[in-house]
Amino acid sequence: MKPSLLLACLLLATASSATVRTVSNAPSQPAQYNDLQTAINAASTGDTLYVLGTGTAYPAVTIDKQLTVIGSGYAPPAPAQPTTVPTLYLYPNSGGTRIIGLSISSYLYLYSSNITVERCNLYYISAQVAGLSNVVFRHNYIYYYGMNNPASALVANNIIHGGGYLQTSNSTSVVITNNLFMGYYWHA
């Protein structure tokens, strides 16, 4: 009985060790970090970053561990500003990462499976590796979407404005549901 109680306490302590970090690049709105990449580098696997939308874009960033990054949303009510990042790279060790409420004004590059992107404004999604699995895009405004042969993906409740493609000839589980396609072309 005592070993299982000790194991439960250790698991609880490990699960509760995630840290919440705040980021703002506006001097008038202080946070723990003023640079997003510095906050990412300082974060441990499982941490959450709250990134304030300030009207000034953050520089391009790279994520190479599992994090949750939360911005102000793609269309926050005034006077709030969107949390803008020009380019975001999700490298192979970033599996399990959740991106919520960012405005990515250039490219989102995917190199990892097990990624969830929600409530974001995305200019261009580019999966750099075929066969990614458990890739979820929901409740986003997307200009262009490109993905080659994901093993499993969910693309749901998005507005896809520009166009794109989703090549699924080798896919085992791809669901595209409840999206609004407003673009001039789409290939699936």
Side-chain angles (χ1 to χ4, degrees), residues 160-173:
I160 302 175
H161 184 73
Y165 66 93
L166 179 60
Q167 182 178 343
T168 61
S169 61
N170 296 328
S171 300
T172 57
S173 179

Side-chain angles (χ1 to χ4, degrees), residues 100-181:
I100 304 166
L102 296 183
S103 179
I104 301 173
S105 59
S106 185
Y107 288 90
L108 170 60
Y109 290 109
L110 297 177
Y111 295 87
S112 181
S113 294
N114 302 315
I115 300 293
T116 299
V117 181
E118 301 175 288
R119 296 185 359 242
C120 291
N121 184 356
L122 305 164
Y123 178 73
Y124 194 112
I125 300 167
S126 180
Q128 299 295 302
V129 180
L132 295 177
S133 62
N134 196 25
V135 178
V136 176
F137 288 93
R138 62 179 163 228
H139 306 288
N140 298 293
Y141 182 88
I142 302 169
Y143 183 75
Y144 188 87
Y145 184 94
M147 186 173 285
N148 285 317
N149 293 319
S152 62
L154 172 63
V155 182
N157 299 42
N158 299 288
I159 298 171
I160 302 175
H161 184 73
Y165 66 93
L166 179 60
Q167 182 178 343
T168 61
S169 61
N170 296 328
S171 300
T172 57
S173 179
V174 175
V175 177
I176 303 170
T177 184
N178 299 328
N179 296 286
L180 176 60
F181 296 93

Side-chain angles (χ1 to χ4, degrees), residues 2-80:
K2 287 184 181 181
S4 61
L5 180 60
L6 177 62
L7 179 61
C9 290
L10 287 173
L11 289 174
L12 183 60
T14 302
S16 64
S17 65
T19 301
V20 175
R21 300 168 192 273
T22 58
V23 184
S24 172
N25 61 1
S28 64
Q29 298 169 318
Q32 294 167 302
Y33 295 89
N34 62 9
D35 179 72
L36 181 53
Q37 188 64 59
T38 301
I40 290 167
N41 295 345
S44 297
T45 296
D47 284 358
T48 298
L49 304 178
Y50 287 109
V51 188
L52 187 65
T54 63
T56 301
Y58 292 85
V61 294
T62 298
I63 297 177
D64 60 358
K65 61 188 99 172
Q66 183 227 334
L67 297 174
T68 298
V69 180
I70 302 173
S72 60
Y74 67 81

Side-chain angles (χ1 to χ4, degrees), residues 89-100:
Y89 298 88
L90 294 172
Y91 281 149
N93 291 335
S94 65
T97 291
R98 294 183 65 207
I99 305 297
I100 304 166

